[in-house]
Amino acid sequence: MTEQNRTGAALIREIARTEPPHGTLAIWYLGQESVIVKGDGITIYVDPYLSGDLDAGDWRRTFPAPIAPEEIAGVDLCLITHEHDDHMDVKTLPWLHRSSPAAPILAPASCRAALQEMGIPDSGLLTADDRRPLELFSKLRLTPIAAAHEQLERDADGNPRYVGYVLELNGVTLYHAGDTLVYPELIERVGALKPDIALLPINGRDYFRQQRGIVGNMDYREAAHFARAIGVDTVVPLHYDLFAVNAEKPGHFVDYMYERFPERKAHVMARGERFVYVSPHAFLQD
């Protein structure tokens, strides 16, 4: 067994044994925008990208995935933000479905056909519609939020092509932005849901990346201002580390937050780290 596999198995065991108390959520960082969120006995994978070639030219991974696809276990729900390979991974999702066949996969309508081609039955798929929040497991309220990557796009039925998600679980409200730019309605919609913690992309965009077909996101300055605009307690940067051709230095984000908004918390997650977020409302007595 390789060191990577031993580490992956240990991480899976850690997830299974972690039971965050009310007012907290446990979050594990897998790279890019891949995270695992756990609270109130529910384990949620978001954009699990666990494959990829370490020798794939410009698009090689800069580090191995903390767990291998075949090690996935104990999933209750999987959220997909959009169809790009590093978010909807054809080499990971079949393993996830095989290990946890009862776990629904929630994704934009534009992803459904590709997910079915991966062998995931229609009965296991839910559609992310930003007009319809969902109540799942009697414990989780889930609100899809339309994302602009780099444009707001909808199909003929009004379904968004790109989404983020607001999760209300275990006394904490978490926003995972997916891939998006900032636009006025995004501030209004997310701000109205009063997230405690926001996971935001910071890699930005520029002319030269656009010429190579690399679709962009908010940059670290925009992410900092957006975090303040929605009134979030803590912000975690994402989408800066996995591909050298589309990277950013998270230290720039931390420095900017400290200089401009020192009252707001920021946390840069290590690869495979478990971060237990504690809401300001946790442990308060009535």
Side-chain angles (χ1 to χ4, degrees):
M1 183 179 291
T2 67
E3 182 61 30
Q4 179 186 351
N5 285 337
R6 286 197 298 273
T7 302
L11 192 148
I12 292 295
R13 287 194 299 272
E14 179 181 271
I15 294 167
R17 294 170 180 172
T18 298
E19 296 296 343
H22 187 77
T24 74
L25 284 179
I27 303 166
W28 288 263
Y29 182 54
L30 307 179
Q32 195 74 334
E33 286 192 347
S34 300
V35 299
I36 299 168
V37 179
K38 187 173 183 181
D40 207 0
I42 300 172
T43 300
I44 304 167
Y45 280 55
V46 186
D47 284 355
Y49 179 66
L50 304 177
S51 66
D53 191 342
L54 291 174
D55 299 308
D58 286 345
W59 291 103
R60 67 184 181 276
R61 295 183 66 114
T62 55
F63 60 91
I67 59 178
E70 60 270 23
E71 293 174 312
I72 294 173
V75 184
D76 295 299
L77 175 67
C78 178
L79 306 180
I80 302 297
T81 62
H82 62 289
E83 79 276 10
H84 290 163
D85 292 346
D86 54 331
H87 298 263
M88 189 174 75
D89 183 9
V90 68
K91 295 182 179 180
T92 293
L93 292 174
W95 281 103
L96 183 147
H97 175 67
R98 190 176 306 165
S99 75
S100 303
I105 296 178
L106 177 62
S110 57
C111 299
R112 181 173 290 264
L115 288 166
Q116 290 172 330
E117 289 177 6
M118 296 178 200
I120 298 162
D122 194 64
S123 60
L125 298 175
L126 300 174
T127 298
D129 185 340
D130 65 327
R131 299 161 294 186
R132 297 181 181 88
L134 296 136
E135 304 279 349
L136 299 172
F137 311 108
S138 74
K139 303 175 181 180
L140 168 65
R141 181 173 175 84
L142 189 58
T143 305
I145 304 290
H149 185 35
E150 297 179 0
Q151 304 293 326
L152 279 171
E153 299 183 35
R154 295 183 183 271
D155 65 18
D157 296 320
N159 296 302
R161 180 179 176 185
Y162 311 110
V163 299
Y165 295 98
V166 174
L167 290 71
E168 298 173 60
L169 177 66
N170 207 37
V172 176
T173 300
L174 176 147
Y175 173 51
H176 187 298
D179 278 2
T180 190
L181 303 182
V182 179
Y183 60 94
E185 294 81 6
L186 185 68
I187 297 172
E188 296 169 9
R189 184 87 192 277
V190 178
L193 293 170
K194 302 184 184 304
D196 299 297
I197 180 169
L199 282 57
L200 306 178
I202 65 165
N203 61 299
R205 72 271 183 209
D206 56 59
Y207 171 83
F208 296 100
R209 279 184 284 178
Q210 288 173 334
Q211 293 304 298
R212 299 180 63 180
I214 300 175
V215 188
N217 295 310
M218 62 180 84
D219 64 24
Y220 68 86
R221 295 180 182 88
E222 292 170 311
H225 286 274
F226 176 73
R228 182 174 185 270
I230 63 174
V232 73
D233 172 61
T234 297
V235 59
V236 174
L238 300 178
H239 211 305
Y240 57 81
D241 62 338
L242 199 55
F243 304 116
V245 297
N246 196 20
E248 183 54 272
K249 295 183 183 299
H252 292 337
F253 172 75
V254 173
D255 287 346
Y256 194 82
M257 285 289 292
Y258 181 75
E259 291 168 3
R260 299 298 298 270
F261 310 119
E263 76 287 351
R264 208 159 302 278
K265 290 175 279 187
H267 181 75
V268 176
M269 295 188 69
R271 300 164 186 170
E273 174 189 357
R274 177 184 58 190
F275 170 50
V276 178
Y277 170 75
V278 181
S279 163
H281 309 294
F283 310 122
L284 295 180
Q285 300 294 323
D286 292 334

